[in-house]
Amino acid sequence: FRPSRSPIVFSLWLGLIFLLGFFHLKNMSYRISKSYKEPQIPPTPCHAKTNVMFLKTHKTASSTVLNIMFRFAERYNLTVALPAGQQFHLGYPRTFLAHFVEDFEAIGQNYNIMCNHLRFNSSEVQKVMAANTFYFSILRNPIHLLESSYIYYKNNVPAFRNSKDVNEFLASPTTFYHAADYRHNIYARNIMWFDFGYDNNAEDDTKYTQAVLEEIEQNFHLILIADYFDESMILLKHVLCWDLDDVIYFKLNSRSQDTVQTLTLESKERIKTWCSLDWKLYLHFNQSFWKRIEQTIGLKVLEKEVDHLRTRQKELVETCLLEQEAVGKSHIKNKGLLPFQSGAANILGYNLKQDLDNKTLRTCQQLVMPELQYTSYLYAVQHPHKKRKQLGLPLLWTS
């Protein structure tokens, strides 16, 4: 092939050669890029955390969390730090000491799970729990919490007992709340602050509150929010590397709607001032809760997993429950499933379906087991030679 001597034809010929070379090189680079793959970094292996301490705060859906913890302990045959003797709380409202745990002197720092009520004391808890223990707790909006406390502790707390209703109490708290009765009145002011081990009557000083918030952040790996309970369970599942069924729940220790008192707008604002330490605690950790979700799960994944949790929960409701919902205390047929009743509250419970196979029945019983009954049962399993905790109720499980 001999190119024409014409300059136009010669230019066209050169252009054609250039284009052929360009497409050849482009095709080669495509084949190379197609065959080349980025090195795959294997995901970090995720192992379920089995040393876990849950600070059970009051009136924050914490009984439901305790049930989750007890079921997890049974699933993995873990040792639970249970209250000694006939107690159901770990010394509460006294500040926690290690000897409040049954058999602490013999077992030492070999407990896996701690979740019964206690007033937090970091150095003493560390004597009981392993060095790699995961610490978490839960908070609730103080506005809803105080109204719930008022109903639940109405007969036990002088500040509540001497007032007609929650709005009268909040109109003038110092009329009913006396510092001399602080031990009996702890549920009436900054109860979450108290549960974390601090003075619930302390002055709301910015330097002091900031120091406390920082100390809580150092002591606890995670703080959940009861007002977003499903979202909290998904975050807990991810952080602890647990399965979905480990955090599935039926709501426990809730009360009937007819015992809820309506707070006035003035009362709601007064709670923020009267319980200002709890209010600051809640605002701070509500913010860190959502930040943690954005950093670890993301809102889209969270929404999808919350849907999965609710779908699974619905399946279990349909499988287990006779009425498909919680019922009032007078409608609970098996008294072994009757929750502890307190104050003016009507604490709801559940009726299970009849004719469930043994495995399903056991799963359903675990989900609806009230706190005191479950504590008594685990105590009997872990300490079979000791006197069983007395409830005055029939027990579903005897061994």
Side-chain angles (χ1 to χ4, degrees):
F1 173 73
R2 179 178 293 176
S4 167
R5 294 182 181 276
S6 164
I8 295 172
V9 174
F10 183 70
S11 297
L12 286 171
W13 179 77
L14 281 176
L16 181 63
I17 296 295
F18 173 77
L19 283 172
L20 286 169
F22 171 77
F23 283 117
H24 176 69
L25 286 171
K26 189 174 181 184
N27 192 39
M28 277 184 64
S29 72
Y30 171 74
R31 287 201 305 269
I32 291 168
S33 66
K34 196 173 181 184
S35 63
Y36 175 76
K37 288 184 179 178
E38 286 284 337
Q40 294 295 307
I41 300 170
T44 306
C46 186
H47 301 291
K49 290 182 172 64
T50 54
N51 292 330
V52 184
M53 190 277 168
F54 170 58
L55 176 61
K56 188 179 188 298
T57 48
H58 284 80
K59 311 314 298 170
T60 58
S62 62
S63 292
T64 304
V65 180
L66 176 134
N67 179 272
I68 287 168
M69 300 296 290
F70 279 174
R71 285 188 283 119
F72 186 81
E74 282 207 89
R75 177 182 174 184
Y76 288 98
N77 196 28
L78 304 175
T79 304
V80 183
L82 293 166
Q86 292 300 302
Q87 300 301 310
F88 285 90
H89 294 167
L90 289 161
Y92 195 89
R94 289 178 290 166
T95 301
F96 176 75
L97 297 173
H99 72 260
F100 293 161
V101 174
E102 186 65 73
D103 270 357
F104 166 70
E105 290 78 5
I107 297 174
Q109 200 182 26
N110 287 305
Y111 295 89
N112 305 111
I113 301 290
M114 176 184 269
C115 56
N116 288 80
H117 274 305
L118 59 81
R119 189 178 184 209
F120 192 68
N121 181 359
S122 180
S123 60
E124 289 291 307
V125 171
Q126 286 173 23
K127 291 179 184 178
V128 177
M129 303 302 293
N132 67 344
T133 295
F134 183 90
Y135 289 77
F136 80 102
S137 189
I138 190 166
L139 300 175
R140 184 184 182 188
N141 187 320
I143 293 171
H144 308 308
L145 187 149
L146 188 80
E147 185 276 330
S148 178
S149 293
Y150 186 92
I151 302 301
Y152 196 82
Y153 298 110
K154 175 70 172 168
N155 301 333
N156 306 103
V157 174
F160 293 159
R161 192 168 57 234
N162 298 330
S163 53
K164 180 182 68 178
D165 58 33
V166 67
N167 290 306
E168 184 184 61
F169 168 72
L170 288 166
S172 180
T174 53
T175 302
F176 306 102
Y177 184 98
H178 304 297
D181 282 338
Y182 84 96
R183 278 284 184 189
H184 300 105
N185 277 329
I186 54 174
Y187 303 104
R189 190 180 195 191
N190 295 313
I191 182 59
M192 295 188 293
W193 198 264
F194 183 87
D195 287 347
F196 274 87
Y198 303 101
D199 179 6
N200 60 319
N201 289 307
E203 186 181 343
D204 186 355
D205 173 75
T206 302
K207 191 176 178 182
Y208 163 70
T209 55
Q210 190 57 38
V212 167
L213 294 174
E214 288 174 7
E215 188 169 71
I216 292 172
E217 284 182 334
Q218 289 171 3
N219 288 331
F220 290 85
H221 300 97
L222 179 65
I223 304 291
L224 303 176
I225 301 296
D227 310 82
Y228 305 99
F229 194 80
D230 288 351
E231 291 83 354
S232 289
M233 291 306 98
I234 296 303
L235 180 58
L236 185 69
K237 176 181 85 74
H238 275 266
V239 174
L240 293 181
C241 196
W242 287 8
D243 297 334
L244 182 65
D245 270 13
D246 291 328
V247 297
I248 286 290
Y249 68 92
F250 289 167
K251 193 183 289 186
L252 297 177
N253 211 36
S254 61
R255 59 193 162 122
S256 59
Q257 196 60 33
D258 62 329
T259 64
V260 177
Q261 292 188 6
T262 304
L263 290 162
T264 64
L265 290 174
E266 292 81 7
S267 290
K268 290 178 181 179
E269 290 304 312
R270 285 171 184 143
I271 289 172
K272 295 177 187 177
T273 305
W274 174 244
C275 295
S276 63
L277 299 175
D278 270 4
W279 185 245
K280 283 189 173 180
L281 186 67
Y282 176 76
L283 290 179
H284 178 86
F285 284 105
N286 182 50
Q287 188 176 37
S288 68
F289 171 78
W290 288 106
K291 189 183 290 184
R292 184 74 169 268
I293 283 175
E294 287 172 4
Q295 290 171 347
T296 55
I297 308 173
L299 294 175
K300 283 188 178 179
V301 173
L302 175 73
E303 187 179 355
K304 189 188 295 184
E305 292 207 25
V306 164
D307 284 344
H308 289 161
L309 183 142
R310 289 172 179 167
T311 300
R312 177 67 178 133
Q313 193 175 48
K314 190 178 176 186
E315 288 172 5
L316 286 165
V317 164
E318 290 170 355
T319 299
C320 296
L321 301 184
L322 192 61
E323 292 92 353
Q324 307 289 285
E325 62 181 3
V327 298
K329 59 186 177 184
S330 60
H331 293 96
I332 298 171
K333 297 173 182 178
N334 185 335
K335 297 309 173 188
L337 293 177
L338 181 70
F340 177 74
Q341 302 293 318
S342 177
N346 177 5
I347 305 300
L348 305 177
Y350 297 95
N351 289 316
L352 298 179
K353 284 183 176 179
Q354 303 298 310
D355 304 322
L356 297 172
D357 65 79
N358 286 340
K359 187 179 178 183
T360 306
L361 176 63
R362 180 59 185 259
T363 298
C364 295
Q365 284 176 335
Q366 287 176 308
L367 281 161
V368 303
M369 184 61 57
E371 178 180 335
L372 301 188
Q373 287 92 316
Y374 216 151
T375 300
S376 178
Y377 165 70
L378 286 182
Y379 184 87
V381 170
Q382 285 189 191
H383 309 286
H385 304 299
K386 305 219 171 187
K387 184 183 177 184
R388 190 160 189 164
K389 293 182 187 290
Q390 300 302 302
L391 282 174
L393 289 169
L395 296 164
L396 290 181
W397 305 327
T398 55
S399 63

